[in-house]
Amino acid sequence: MARQFASALVGLGLLAGAALGQDAALGEAGKDAKGFYIKQGDTRLNINGHFQFRYFLNFRDEDAVGDQNDFTNGFGFRRVRLGASGQLTKELGYTIQGDFLNGETFKLYDAYAWYKFSDSATLKFGQLFKLPVLKEELNSHLALQAVDRSTVNAVFTPNYSQGVQLDLAGDSVRGSFAVSDGFNALNSDITSAAEADFALSARGEWKWAGEWKQYDQFTSWKEAEYAGFLGAAVHYQSGGETGGTLDRDIFQYTADVSVKGDGWNVFAYGVGRRVEEPGADYDDFGALIQGGLFVSNQVELFARYGIVMPDDDRANGDDFAEATIGANYYLFPKSQAAKFSVDGTYAFDNTTDSIVSQRATDGFLTDAEEGEVYIRAQVQIVF
């Protein structure tokens, strides 16, 4: 499937490019911020991709790996993605994107279309990129500050889902409303236990200074204008009444604040989640704060602290906290197209007594003792 998808995109690009080359009056081709494109009138096709290549070093208690060394290291691809997007008319467009897992298996992520009723109202339908809940998840992994998202986000993220979403935009206020299959319903069918009977999400955002595009990444470039944003979201889903779904209700809420200026930024959020299952109710919480500072036009330093606070009634209900420090080098100033990142994380608590879980693709492994350290170096290329 991966080979077929890649071949289809390349073939489509070559055929369209050849057609345009035969008669320049038919349209145009080139490259801009959305990637390589082919355009004729209002119709447009963008072809783009990116990869993130990493080196990991992990240090943990030797009891976690028996008689083996407590040091684990190696190279790996975190993401290798290829996608297409565009529009058929000014009002109707689409996006499709997937990842070549392990260099072989192709996994679909984005597959949705959008219809723009006006400059302020857009409807999306399909497999939505992310449910409108957590800001750390909503910002693209290409525009993160650390090498990857935090453990707080990993525990509370709704991730991908399938459904319908309405986006409303204004000068200082904007919002999103979604009806979906619920948390973590990527590529699921209607009988999957991953799906809810129904799920509702709503997110609102207020901008008191700056431009909305500044809210879409954590970094704030040198010479950037002062900007400030507040965001809040709620999500509710219920299951167990239709075939295949789990008897579980989830209510999650979050609020975040972002302030940034000339080469500096601060971002923080809190999140809470109530899970109701037969015979058990749990209330879990999390919080994160991070900030960054440019020391030159191309070098940015950053730090992050996050904590997960599970319900005490859980069998694994201990808190888990971690701190991360690191740096980014942007090959091209004010661009995420090519950058080198390195960061190191220290875990103040063990992973086995909390609801956090191993994420080997991020360098984070299981440890029964506190003090795990993992270091990551990454090269990111976007084309």
Side-chain angles (χ1 to χ4, degrees):
M1 184 177 178
R3 183 177 299 175
Q4 294 172 343
F5 181 76
S7 298
L9 286 182
V10 172
L12 182 60
L14 290 174
L15 288 173
L20 291 176
Q22 292 175 3
D23 187 350
L26 290 176
E28 61 179 279
K31 185 180 185 304
D32 60 15
K34 296 181 180 180
F36 295 95
Y37 71 88
I38 302 161
K39 180 179 179 182
Q40 180 179 7
D42 292 335
T43 302
R44 175 179 172 126
L45 169 67
N46 309 307
I47 299 176
N48 51 62
H50 59 268
F51 70 81
Q52 294 174 327
F53 184 63
R54 295 179 182 174
Y55 179 68
F56 304 93
L57 301 95
N58 182 285
F59 305 86
R60 53 196 171 133
D61 184 76
E62 61 184 10
D63 292 338
V65 288
D67 59 357
Q68 296 181 357
N69 197 300
D70 61 355
F71 170 61
T72 304
N73 70 304
F75 292 96
F77 279 102
R78 177 63 177 90
R79 299 175 179 92
V80 181
R81 297 196 178 183
L82 186 64
S85 63
Q87 60 186 52
L88 303 178
T89 68
K90 289 182 178 180
E91 296 80 22
L92 180 62
Y94 55 89
T95 292
I96 183 169
Q97 181 180 224
D99 197 304
F100 296 90
L101 301 177
N102 303 317
E104 297 179 357
T105 305
F106 179 78
K107 185 175 183 178
L108 180 67
Y109 281 92
D110 299 312
Y112 66 90
W114 52 263
Y115 184 84
K116 183 176 290 189
F117 296 98
S118 65
D119 290 340
S120 60
T122 302
L123 183 70
K124 299 176 182 176
F125 47 94
Q127 185 155 284
L128 306 177
F129 50 104
K130 299 288 173 65
L131 287 178
V133 184
L134 282 187
K135 181 57 179 174
E136 187 180 1
E137 185 68 48
L138 289 172
N139 279 11
S140 169
H141 53 262
L142 298 176
L144 300 176
Q145 203 153 41
V147 171
D148 219 312
R149 298 181 178 93
S150 68
T151 299
V152 178
N153 184 85
V155 171
F156 291 96
T157 179
N159 216 321
Y160 286 79
S161 192
Q162 299 166 343
V164 179
Q165 178 173 315
L166 177 65
D167 295 329
L168 301 175
D171 291 337
S172 59
V173 177
R174 66 183 185 183
S176 297
F177 308 89
V179 179
S180 72
D181 288 333
F183 282 17
N184 299 305
L186 178 67
N187 298 322
S188 62
D189 57 43
I190 61 173
T191 61
S192 172
E195 295 202 354
D197 293 337
F198 69 91
L200 305 173
S201 308
R203 179 175 174 85
E205 298 171 344
W206 172 52
K207 169 176 66 71
W208 73 77
E211 303 294 333
W212 282 120
K213 63 181 180 181
Q214 293 175 269
Y215 196 33
D216 295 334
Q217 66 175 9
F218 297 117
T219 293
S220 184
W221 309 116
K222 294 279 283 184
E223 301 178 351
E225 297 292 330
Y226 172 74
F229 310 88
L230 284 175
V234 294
H235 173 91
Y236 176 76
Q237 67 181 64
S238 181
E241 298 298 327
T242 63
T245 63
L246 297 179
D247 187 3
R248 179 177 60 193
D249 291 354
I250 298 175
F251 176 66
Q252 183 161 305
Y253 47 93
T254 183
D256 59 84
V257 59
S258 181
V259 183
K260 50 180 58 181
D262 181 5
W264 61 269
N265 68 89
V266 178
F267 169 75
Y269 73 91
V271 56
R273 179 178 63 200
R274 180 171 178 81
V275 180
E276 297 181 358
E277 300 173 335
D281 298 335
Y282 302 110
D283 290 288
D284 307 314
F285 301 94
L288 177 141
I289 184 168
Q290 72 177 32
L293 177 68
F294 274 89
V295 294
S296 73
N297 286 334
Q298 294 171 268
V299 177
E300 178 188 34
L301 306 180
F302 61 84
R304 179 176 73 189
Y305 174 83
I307 184 170
V308 176
M309 296 168 284
D311 194 302
D312 291 338
D313 290 337
R314 289 186 179 273
N316 50 348
D318 287 358
D319 293 354
F320 177 86
E322 65 180 7
T324 301
I325 59 172
N328 294 310
Y329 174 75
Y330 298 88
L331 190 61
F332 308 108
K334 301 182 181 181
S335 172
Q336 302 278 0
K339 71 177 181 181
F340 174 76
S341 304
V342 60
D343 67 17
T345 298
Y346 178 83
F348 295 94
D349 305 286
N350 69 68
T351 61
T352 55
D353 293 332
S354 186
I355 58 176
V356 304
S357 58
Q358 173 176 298
R359 305 188 311 280
T361 53
D362 290 335
F364 180 60
L365 304 177
T366 299
D367 194 348
E369 300 290 337
E370 64 183 42
E372 177 179 353
V373 174
Y374 57 101
I375 300 170
R376 307 173 293 192
Q378 174 177 278
V379 176
Q380 172 175 295
I381 301 295
V382 183
F383 58 88

